[in-house]
Amino acid sequence: MPVYMNQTVVKYGVGFGSALAMAVSFALNKSIFWAIIHGILGWIYVLYAWIFKTY
């Protein structure tokens, strides 16, 4: 798979994952605050995985 294709998949996958986490959080908790927190935590995990789990 070409490098540019990997970057595109990661870019849209992370954005979709964050949006999905926020939507599910809002549906369960009925709170915009918790939806935002869960969206931020998703990005923090992405940074953690990028720093500590890259080869």
Side-chain angles (χ1 to χ4, degrees), residues 7-20:
Q7 292 172 346
T8 302
V9 168
V10 169
K11 177 181 162 184
Y12 290 114
V14 169
F16 176 74
S18 182
L20 181 63

Side-chain angles (χ1 to χ4, degrees), residues 14-46:
V14 169
F16 176 74
S18 182
L20 181 63
M22 292 174 74
V24 170
S25 176
F26 183 76
L28 292 175
N29 299 315
K30 303 293 189 251
S31 171
I32 293 174
F33 172 76
W34 283 114
I36 292 170
I37 295 298
H38 289 132
I40 291 169
L41 288 175
W43 279 104
I44 291 172
Y45 176 75
V46 168

